[in-house]
Amino acid sequence: MTVRVLRSAAPACVTILLVLAAWITITALELVPAYVIPAPGAVLDSLVTTWPDRLGSATLLTASETLLGVVLGVVVAVIVVIISAFVPTIGQAMTPLLVASQAIPVIVIGPLLTISLGYGMAPKVIVVALLCFFPVALNLLSGVRAVDARVIDTLRSLHATRWSLFWRVRLPSAAPRGFAGLRVSVTFAPVAAVFAEYTGSTNGLGYLMLQAIPRLQTDFVFAQVVVLTIMSSVLLATVTILERLICPWNTPTGERTPS
């Protein structure tokens, strides 16, 4: 198991090392000004020195907004899919709204939410929830509708109720698709939270970036980008682990533990 994990992680580690080596070479040879691309050491130093008083609290706030937004988006998506599964007419009526929720650009809705709800966490959470809602809802809905009709007819002939059909057949069939949409969503969720903070905030990584960029504190901005990258990676890893726990039948054959 350990050998398999190391073997699968090796290409990604090599890629990261190559990128880091190129970064160090470019900055060491001063091919670009330091205010454009700072040295990795300067970024690490900025990360360590600013973490206790500024970066730590900002990261906690942005992470909270991201997590709450992801949970809200997923919960609303699941509720919409359940309603659509039991009342198909409502599902068909809500399909245009599902598409419209993705068609509305965040760059427009973000400032409007800030005007309506203020500089607190609420507009940031809603922006992240909107970003997560559409991929999860659409993938779940397509999974629920894609169940083999012969399976449904067979279970109905055995007097299965609508609830048991949904719980035992439709939902397990749709769950892997829902997780696929969630994996895409959580990758961009921290960025959505940062953008929402751009539109109006008093703390958070987006607020700090707005303060640092005009002052050419590039090393501090890069440190925040590193934090955002780690945040996205942790969210993606968490979703992957949850998928393997909740949908073990969707795990690739080569990764299943022999019983």
Side-chain angles (χ1 to χ4, degrees):
M1 180 68 180
T2 304
V3 174
R4 189 188 305 134
V5 171
L6 292 176
R7 188 179 301 167
S8 62
C13 293
V14 171
T15 302
I16 293 173
L17 290 176
L18 289 175
V19 171
L20 189 59
W23 185 3
I24 293 173
T25 303
I26 290 173
T27 53
L29 298 177
E30 298 181 351
L31 298 178
V32 293
Y35 66 85
V36 177
I37 301 180
V43 175
L44 181 61
D45 181 64
S46 178
L47 178 63
V48 172
T49 56
T50 60
W51 183 268
D53 55 346
R54 289 195 295 168
L55 198 52
S57 61
T59 300
L60 181 62
L61 179 60
T62 302
S64 301
E65 294 165 352
T66 303
L67 194 58
L68 288 174
V70 170
V71 171
L72 178 63
V74 171
V75 169
V76 175
V78 171
I79 292 173
V80 167
V81 169
I82 291 175
I83 294 174
S84 302
F86 284 91
V87 189
T89 303
I90 294 180
Q92 294 170 359
M94 295 179 72
T95 299
L97 293 178
L98 286 174
V99 177
S101 69
Q102 186 68 8
I104 298 174
V106 176
I107 196 171
V108 173
I109 199 72
L112 293 177
L113 288 172
T114 300
I115 293 173
S116 303
L117 302 175
Y119 285 11
M121 289 183 63
K124 290 79 176 177
V125 172
I126 292 175
V127 167
V128 176
L130 285 174
L131 180 80
C132 296
F133 170 76
F134 179 78
V136 176
L138 198 63
N139 279 280
L140 275 176
L141 203 55
S142 64
V144 166
R145 291 172 176 170
V147 177
D148 192 336
R150 292 171 296 183
V151 176
I152 299 296
D153 292 339
T154 301
L155 291 175
R156 280 176 176 165
S157 68
L158 297 174
H159 306 290
T161 63
R162 295 184 66 183
W163 174 251
S164 63
L165 282 174
F166 177 80
W167 184 251
R168 296 179 182 278
V169 179
R170 295 188 187 277
L171 188 58
S173 174
R177 297 195 185 196
F179 274 107
L182 185 58
R183 282 200 300 273
V184 175
S185 300
V186 298
T187 304
F188 297 104
V191 179
V194 167
F195 172 77
E197 289 168 350
Y198 276 180
T199 62
S201 61
T202 56
N203 199 357
L205 295 177
Y207 172 78
L208 293 183
M209 283 186 181
L210 278 179
Q211 303 296 315
I213 291 174
R215 300 172 184 171
L216 297 181
Q217 296 175 336
T218 318
D219 52 347
F220 187 40
V221 176
F222 268 65
Q224 295 173 64
V225 172
V226 171
V227 171
L228 284 172
T229 303
I230 294 173
M231 197 183 297
S232 295
S233 301
V234 170
L235 283 172
L236 184 60
T238 303
V239 171
T240 302
I241 293 172
L242 285 175
E243 181 182 7
R244 294 188 179 188
L245 292 175
I246 297 175
C247 309
W249 60 89
N250 197 47
T251 303
T253 306
E255 299 180 14
R256 292 177 185 169
T257 303
S259 57

